[in-house]
Each structure stands twice: as C-alpha cells, then as structure tokens.
Amino acid sequence: MKGKSDLTARSFVLNTGAKIPAIGLGTWQSGGQLCIEAVKTALSVGYRHIDCAHLYGNEMQVGDALAEAFKGSSLKREDLFLTSKLYCSMNSINKIENYVKVSLKNLRVSYLDLYLMHWPDNSAFGDATDPPLKLGSEYKQFLSRLKKSWKAMEGLVDLGLVRAIGVSNFNIQQIKELLKFAKIVPAVNQVELHPFWRQDELVKFCQLKGIHVSAHTPLGVPSSSPAPSDSGSGGEDEPGTPRICFRRSRSVHGPMLKLSVVAEIANRHKKTPEQVILRWGLQRGTSVLPCSLNAERIRKNIDIFNWSLSDSEWNRLNQIQPQVCLFGNGLTNYLSDSSSLPGSVPLQSVREMEDDVESNV
Ligand SMILES: NC(=O)c1ccc[n+]([C@@H]2O[C@H](COP(=O)([O-])OP(=O)(O)OC[C@H]3O[C@@H](n4cnc5c(N)ncnc54)[C@H](OP(=O)(O)O)[C@@H]3O)[C@@H](O)[C@H]2O)c1
C-alpha cells in the first residue's frame, strides 16, 4: 500500500491510462435543488469528479447542474470525470446497455468515464463486506451471473458508452473470481474506506492487481434511514426498476472524527478532522468521494492538497481500533431484521464504542 510516496498527486492513473481525480463529490442522499447547487459549487471550487449512481435517484439533477456549469463557464465535458453505477442487478443482464443509457440520458452526456457494478450481488444491497455466504448451486449461479454481467459491462466499453468499467463493494474473493474470466480488468473497486474501516488487505490486493481503489463513505458517516420513495427527484426508469430514496440526516456524525488522535493532528496542521481523514485516504493511494450539500464544507473538503501527514501521523491513523464497517451491514440491518453477518459490527454499536475507541488510540 502506498504511504508517503504520492504526496503531490491530484489524480491517479487507472489501468486504462486515464486519470481519475483524487477527490470526487459524492451524491448519495442528495437531491433536488440542493443537489444541483452542491454539484455547481463543487465544480466551481475545483472538483472534477462527480460520483453518481442510478440508485441515488438524482442523476437528472446532477445533469441539470452539469448543463448549467457547461453553459456558464469554459468547463467542457472532457474536463470532467463522471462515474455512475449499474444499480443492481445481475438478474437483468440483457438490460445493462439500457441502464447505462438511462444514466447517460439523465446526466445529459454521451459517455461515462467509469461505470461500476454497484454491488456484488443481484440485489441492490448485497454481501458488501464478507465472502459470499452462498453455498453450492447458489454460489455457482452467482458466479455465472457475474460472468455474464461482466461480459455485458465489457460490451459497454466496446460501444463507447463508457471509458472504463469497474466494481464496487467487491471483496478479495469476488475480485479473484472476476479476474478468472475478465477480458477487461476492473479499473476501480469503490469500497467503504476510512481509518475506522481500513480494509488494508483489500486495498493492497487491488493495488497489486492494478485496480485503483476509491473510498466511498470516506468520512465514515453512517447512512441515514431509508425513507419512502418521496424525493420526487425524477429521472427516467425502466418500468419495475426498484428505487430507494433516503431522507438525508446530517445530525449523525462518525465517531472517528471525534477521536483525540484525529483532533490532535488536525490542530497541528490547522485543518479540520475531515480534512485529515481525507488526506489520509489520498496518501494511501485511494481517491476519496466525500459528499456534502453545504457549500463551505464542499470547499473545505477539497483543501487536502499542498500539505501532508508525517510518517508518525500516518502510522497513528493506521492503528485506530476497532475496525468497524459502518455502511454495508448497517444498511443491511436497516433493511431487514437479519442478524449481523460474520465479522461485522452492527451500526448501532458504533456509537456505543466511541469511548472505547478513545482509550484505544
Ligand atoms: N458504491 C457504494 O456502494 C457507495 C456507498 C456509499 C456511498 N457511496 C458514495 O460515496 C459518497 C460519500 O459517502 P457518504 O455520503 O455516505 O458519506 P460521507 O461522505 O463519508 O459523509 C457525508 C456526510 O458527512 C457530512 N460532511 C461532509 N463533509 C463534512 C465536513 N467537512 N464537516 C462536517 N460534516 C461533513 C455531510 O453532511 P453535509 O451535507 O451537511 O455537509 C454528510 O452528512 C456518496 O455520496 C456516494 O457517492 C458509494
């Protein structure tokens, strides 16, 4: 894994030869005019990467913001890096081309820089962090669908609809399976990463295979509760496409950001805890995708260049314990009453752990 080797990087080179900006604006739980303003603000302060997904239900608003930005400035499509994601579903492989076309139409662009398989499962919220729990024939079916889906994803590159393809929330075992038949090696694996959930082994494995790793939920902020589909955010859908909309909650904040080690480093650099966490992400060679709807925070989050963490600061952030997956299983817990997956810590335990974490660092 990279440490202090890439201190000046503002972008990373993908295995396609293209560059992915080191920071992108996340757009999950964003919608309506707030989403339009957030994207416009981000572009005006220097973000060149917008992380989208059909599932977020707001690609039309992102498209509105892009159109306004193109009209009102010298910014061009080719200056930007746009990511979107196949919302699920390995059950509808013959529609993958349609799905990307829906995203392109909503975003009002003719190609994507990166298209990711959103989850390694045939549901929107799959086995995010653990090896596939499926056994026997069910696992074989999963692999067969994965193979067919990836072939369809590869076809999108041939058609010129997307410049690169990748995966999201894939673990080592799932990537190994994919690499057995992939003609195109994924350019990116986008996974939950922050000092509370470092996934060192996964990051190292991907980097060794030439797969760039992007950090989603880089501030470690737990997801808010799913809300009824009331955002009215629009966008074109295939009939019967499941859409999940979320009521945004800004009151919940990651306990990681309150850790004394983070605060101490932030004070030393005269930076915020969020900037320290994002800078840590860059220094390990991962791009970071923080989401904010607040103009000031959008500005602050990109102020992570021209300064760096020292070796000892870097090492301290790499020692934070316990390691807790905030996103995958937390969301799984919200969506069903199923008990936790092996090796996971349920979301509700995170806040309870806060005191323990303080004393462990
Ligand atoms: N591939 C996947 O499965 C997947 C899963 C999750 C997320 N993602 C991507 O990753 C992006 C980021 O993840 P996320 O949105 O879940 O979590 P996040 O970026 O870690 O945190 C977002 C939260 O932090 C707050 N925040 C942002 N900057 C802040 C700052 N400087 N100070 C204080 N609070 C700040 C935001 O509130 P305010 O708006 O009030 O600033 C928001 O509530 C998503 O938007 C999405 O694009 C992908």
Side-chain angles (χ1 to χ4, degrees):
M1 204 179 317
K2 295 181 187 172
K4 287 197 63 187
S5 54
D6 268 3
L7 294 185
T8 57
R10 282 177 180 260
S11 62
F12 298 100
V13 180
L14 300 178
N15 60 16
T16 58
K19 285 183 181 170
I20 184 170
I23 185 167
L25 181 76
T27 59
W28 186 45
Q29 300 183 101
S30 165
Q33 194 59 32
L34 283 173
C35 172
I36 297 176
E37 292 308 322
V39 173
K40 281 168 56 186
T41 301
L43 296 175
S44 73
V45 299
Y47 288 71
R48 291 295 175 263
H49 179 184
I50 312 292
D51 181 64
C52 312
H54 178 73
L55 184 70
Y56 303 161
N58 57 9
E59 287 192 324
M60 206 173 235
Q61 280 82 54
V62 176
D64 288 346
L66 295 177
E68 284 185 42
F70 292 147
K71 212 174 355 167
S73 72
S74 57
L75 196 70
K76 296 189 200 65
R77 167 65 187 92
E78 55 268 32
D79 300 328
L80 299 185
F81 190 100
L82 297 179
T83 298
S84 185
K85 308 178 192 94
L86 176 68
Y87 77 91
C88 27
S89 154
M90 298 183 194
N91 284 332
S92 38
I93 292 155
N94 55 351
K95 292 188 182 161
I96 289 179
E97 190 181 323
N98 289 356
Y99 293 141
V100 74
K101 283 181 176 165
V102 169
S103 284
L104 290 173
K105 188 169 178 193
N106 288 339
L107 291 166
R108 291 193 252 161
V109 294
S110 61
Y111 70 94
L112 293 172
D113 295 279
L114 180 64
Y115 197 52
L116 303 176
M117 202 177 267
H118 206 143
W119 288 88
D121 205 345
N122 58 339
S123 63
F125 302 102
D127 303 334
T129 53
D130 299 279
L133 298 171
K134 303 163 190 62
L135 297 168
S137 63
E138 206 191 340
Y139 186 52
K140 278 193 193 139
Q141 264 179 26
F142 165 78
L143 289 182
S144 154
R145 285 200 302 269
L146 180 63
K147 192 171 180 178
K148 286 183 194 147
S149 309
W150 192 250
K151 195 162 182 243
M153 294 281 286
E154 289 172 333
L156 302 177
V157 178
D158 297 337
L159 289 170
L161 297 171
V162 308
R163 299 262 160 105
I165 51 175
V167 293
S168 180
N169 302 303
F170 271 50
N171 63 30
I172 292 178
Q173 189 180 334
Q174 290 156 344
I175 292 176
K176 278 185 180 166
E177 295 291 356
L178 184 58
L179 292 180
K180 284 183 191 162
F181 51 76
K183 290 197 182 112
I184 299 181
V185 173
V188 168
N189 186 17
Q190 185 188 116
V191 293
E192 176 182 340
L193 290 178
H194 41 73
F196 238 26
W197 188 244
R198 289 188 295 274
Q199 305 209 62
D200 287 335
E201 219 186 313
L202 175 66
V203 173
K204 196 171 161 192
F205 173 82
C206 290
Q207 289 177 340
L208 279 172
K209 296 285 175 194
I211 300 168
H212 173 76
V213 186
S214 281
H216 76 58
T217 326
L219 299 173
V221 177
S223 41
S224 57
S225 338
S229 183
D230 61 356
S231 72
S233 42
E236 189 172 311
D237 266 337
E238 286 286 313
T241 299
R243 256 284 213 79
I244 299 183
C245 298
F246 290 84
R247 191 174 294 121
R248 191 175 175 79
S249 158
R250 268 166 270 159
S251 58
V252 198
H253 217 64
M256 171 180 72
L257 296 163
K258 297 180 193 135
L259 290 175
S260 55
V261 62
V262 179
E264 204 184 291
I265 295 171
N267 285 342
R268 198 174 305 136
H269 289 275
K270 297 194 170 38
K271 298 290 173 191
T272 66
E274 290 80 7
Q275 288 165 331
V276 167
I277 298 299
L278 295 173
R279 179 70 217 176
W280 170 85
L282 293 196
Q283 282 187 220
R284 72 198 303 232
T286 62
S287 49
V288 291
L289 305 168
C291 176
S292 178
L293 292 176
N294 175 287
E296 189 50 29
R297 291 197 276 275
I298 291 170
R299 271 189 207 99
K300 279 187 176 162
N301 289 348
I302 201 174
D303 180 14
I304 50 173
F305 303 101
N306 304 322
W307 62 281
S308 60
L309 301 169
S310 69
D311 283 341
S312 76
E313 291 165 341
W314 163 261
N315 288 334
R316 289 181 74 196
L317 292 172
N318 281 322
Q319 283 162 25
I320 291 175
Q321 293 296 341
Q323 288 292 292
V324 181
C325 168
L326 293 176
F327 183 80
N329 299 319
L331 195 53
T332 306
N333 288 343
Y334 275 127
L335 292 177
S336 74
D337 281 328
S338 63
S339 53
S340 302
L341 298 166
S344 69
V345 182
L347 184 63
Q348 58 268 29
S349 307
V350 171
R351 262 162 268 139
E352 289 160 20
M353 283 180 177
E354 196 176 331
D355 294 340
D356 292 337
V357 172
E358 279 288 348
S359 56
N360 273 331
V361 175

